[in-house]
Amino acid sequence: MSVLEDDMKRSDKEMLDILFSYVPKIAESKQLDSLLVLIADLGRKFVLAERCSLWLVSSDGKELWTKVAHGTSEIRIPVTGGFVGYSLAYDEPLLIEDAYEDERFDRSVDLKSGYRTRSVLTVPFKDSVGKVMGVFQAINKKNNGCFTEEDLKFLQLTAVYSAKSLESAMLFQELERNQEEITLILGAAAECRSHETGNHVKRVAKMSYTLAKYAGLPEVLCQKIRLASTMHDLGKIGIPDEILNKQGKFTPEEYNIMKSHSKMGHDMLVQSNCELLRLAAEIAISHHERIDGKGYPLGLSGDDIPLSGKICAVVDVFDALINTRCYKQPWSRERVVALYQEERGCQFEASLVDILLEHLDEFYAINDSMPD
Ligand code: C2E
Ligand code: SIN
Ligand code: SIN
Ligand code: FE
Ligand code: FE
């Protein structure tokens, strides 16, 4: 190695400084666009490239898009195109010295941009379960040099290191979009029904999230359960007012009509393309099932009942018991605890009852924070 090359080789400290200047920014960034820029910047500094971009597969799987390559708008290319397409299709990194010498190079991008691509690095970018989300690409080593195997490792490291944040940001964006769709549906539904229903729904959402969290489910799933559980009683919009708002106990006939709300809610939601609304359908149809098989509408028992429905069942009943309903007064805390002890493993999943009772103050506090 020549003296000059040795000088140009950067110290570990320098690399660590770069890495640690990006760690907090990448970890905290929830917005997909800004995260893409941060990750590309980190990659560019690591491998001393003129340009770096992160290409993501579009939701229909037909294109790769990026917002990074010189900031303005989105650039889209077909998934089959160029080095990026190759890395995606074959799940292989590429280290190219001269793009124009390689038949896989797609010259049309250079033609459009007037840019002259020379050396190229591409690395497939995978999510936490190993599914390829896109391709990380660095173009033109600085000072007309070539990328090295070490550069390739650093770009791979950047990809591995950023994957979790990127995945979260994509989920976050999806959740935000879904939430909007749901708000519209619920808004329309709530208008039709008694004003009481609004806070019951919000409390059940918060309590479902809390119970899911204590049950050890991952944050993203807890958030989905929080949003989806808001629709557990959506089917009540199909129940006649005189039954829904009846003062006092139901006759068996009235009760049977009311019981149709879980299937009705399910049927309204289950056709959706949106994963979150299908989770809501699952909760709607299963939130009145019982572990002992005596629930409705299907009489499922034990683990045939989805966990989301078991969670919602515990908090839905809790909310009904501790508040005033048009057919009942609030129960005392002693009576509520006694019911859950009695129904542990019968009506409700035992482990979820244990969590509720262990954190009972917190669940009461949620209730108090959102009164009817
Ligand atoms: P909700 O008011 O949200 O109640 C949800 C669930 O909490 C009930 O599901 C039931 O499992 C539980 N729960 C509520 N009150 C009591 C209670 O006093 N004792 C016990 N052991 N559990 C209770 P369920 O029974 O399938 O009822 C579904 C929905 O039907 C209720 O939702 C409520 O809107 C309505 N509903 C049920 N019974 C009556 C009634 O007698 N009169 C009226 N007007 N509505 C009723
Ligand atoms: C219900 O929708 O559960 C009945 C109305 C209430 O929230 O009390
Ligand atoms: C009630 O339904 O009002 C009380 C019966 C029970 O403890 O489940
Ligand atoms: Fe219900
Ligand atoms: Fe309910």
Side-chain angles (χ1 to χ4, degrees):
M1 185 184 283
S2 74
V3 176
L4 187 65
E5 271 184 273
D6 200 34
D7 279 350
M8 287 183 57
K9 196 168 151 54
R10 290 170 307 156
S11 69
D12 289 350
K13 177 171 184 313
E14 194 183 340
M15 299 306 264
L16 279 176
D17 283 348
I18 295 171
L19 183 59
F20 284 120
S21 68
Y22 280 90
V23 165
K25 287 189 240 166
I26 288 179
E28 279 161 25
S29 178
K30 273 204 181 127
Q31 292 303 324
L32 188 55
D33 291 356
S34 55
L35 189 61
L36 288 175
V37 175
L38 281 171
I39 295 171
D41 271 0
L42 174 59
R44 193 165 52 83
K45 292 197 175 152
F46 256 173
V47 303
L48 292 176
E50 285 177 10
R51 292 187 175 191
C52 207
S53 17
L54 223 173
W55 296 85
L56 295 177
V57 181
S58 62
S59 45
D60 64 6
K62 291 185 180 148
E63 288 175 315
L64 285 150
W65 65 273
T66 184
K67 282 216 167 148
V68 177
H70 282 240
T72 46
S73 59
E74 265 178 32
I75 301 181
R76 289 179 171 266
I77 55 172
V79 281
T80 49
F83 297 131
V84 173
Y86 182 91
S87 263
L88 182 78
Y90 294 95
D91 189 7
E92 268 175 32
L94 287 176
L95 203 170
I96 308 289
E97 284 185 20
D98 184 350
Y100 282 80
E101 295 288 302
D102 195 302
E103 65 201 12
R104 288 167 296 198
F105 182 50
D106 175 4
R107 298 178 186 208
S108 67
V109 180
D110 269 15
L111 284 177
K112 268 183 238 157
S113 64
Y115 194 74
R116 175 67 164 82
T117 300
R118 296 181 313 272
S119 50
V120 177
L121 265 186
T122 60
V123 169
F125 204 104
K126 297 179 186 182
D127 67 14
S128 52
V129 292
K131 186 167 163 270
V132 181
M133 286 189 283
V135 178
F136 207 5
Q137 181 183 43
I139 293 179
N140 291 356
K141 181 83 174 181
K142 291 224 168 113
N143 303 319
N144 285 321
C146 290
F147 294 112
T148 62
E149 287 291 337
E150 194 184 55
D151 289 331
L152 186 62
K153 288 211 183 80
F154 273 116
L155 203 63
Q156 273 167 331
L157 181 77
T158 311
V160 169
Y161 162 72
S162 323
K164 260 249 135 64
S165 304
L166 188 64
E167 219 184 330
S168 309
M170 291 170 86
L171 280 172
F172 186 72
Q173 191 180 60
E174 195 193 327
L175 281 181
E176 278 182 326
R177 285 186 188 153
N178 291 343
Q179 198 162 11
E180 204 179 305
E181 193 180 343
I182 290 147
T183 309
L184 291 175
I185 292 175
L186 263 186
E191 270 174 16
C192 310
R193 301 330 269 171
S194 70
H195 58 85
E196 279 182 303
T197 308
N199 268 344
H200 166 60
V201 160
K202 283 185 200 137
R203 292 190 301 260
V204 166
K206 186 86 189 285
M207 291 177 187
S208 294
Y209 170 86
T210 306
L211 192 54
K213 199 73 190 162
Y214 281 126
L217 301 188
E219 170 67 14
V220 172
L221 185 52
C222 295
Q223 291 289 358
K224 289 186 176 177
I225 288 176
R226 177 176 69 84
L227 293 169
S229 68
T230 60
M231 286 158 276
H232 75 278
D233 275 339
L234 190 63
K236 282 185 181 172
I237 67 173
I239 303 297
D241 274 339
E242 57 278 17
I243 294 180
L244 189 67
N245 296 323
K246 181 182 178 181
Q247 308 285 318
K249 292 274 173 198
F250 279 161
T251 65
E253 292 73 30
E254 288 167 337
Y255 196 26
N256 275 335
I257 292 169
M258 175 53 98
K259 281 177 171 176
S260 67
H261 80 278
S262 35
K263 174 88 167 53
M264 269 196 284
H266 169 268
D267 293 352
M268 290 175 209
L269 295 159
V270 76
Q271 301 292 348
S272 173
N273 290 318
C274 170
E275 187 205 334
L276 192 61
L277 293 187
R278 289 198 307 273
L279 177 63
E282 176 182 285
I283 293 176
I285 201 163
S286 61
H287 76 281
H288 289 293
E289 297 289 359
R290 297 170 48 111
I291 302 301
D292 59 16
K294 294 180 189 162
Y296 65 88
L298 299 174
L300 299 179
S301 57
D303 286 338
D304 289 343
I305 307 168
L307 179 57
S308 60
K310 292 176 181 174
I311 289 172
C312 186
V314 169
V315 302
D316 181 37
V317 172
F318 181 71
D319 190 76
L321 296 181
I322 70 176
N323 288 294
T324 305
R325 289 285 195 267
C326 54
Y327 59 95
K328 62 169 278 299
Q329 287 302 306
W331 283 21
S332 70
R333 186 164 168 141
E334 292 68 33
R335 200 172 165 209
V336 170
V337 170
L339 177 98
Y340 279 95
Q341 281 165 345
E342 176 103 342
E343 296 292 354
R344 183 182 182 281
C346 304
Q347 185 172 358
F348 309 114
E349 179 74 32
S351 62
L352 297 175
V353 169
D354 294 342
I355 295 169
L356 176 77
L357 295 178
E358 190 181 331
H359 300 278
L360 200 57
D361 286 340
E362 191 172 336
F363 285 93
Y364 269 102
I366 293 170
N367 184 62
D368 294 344
S369 71
M370 287 177 267
D372 280 325

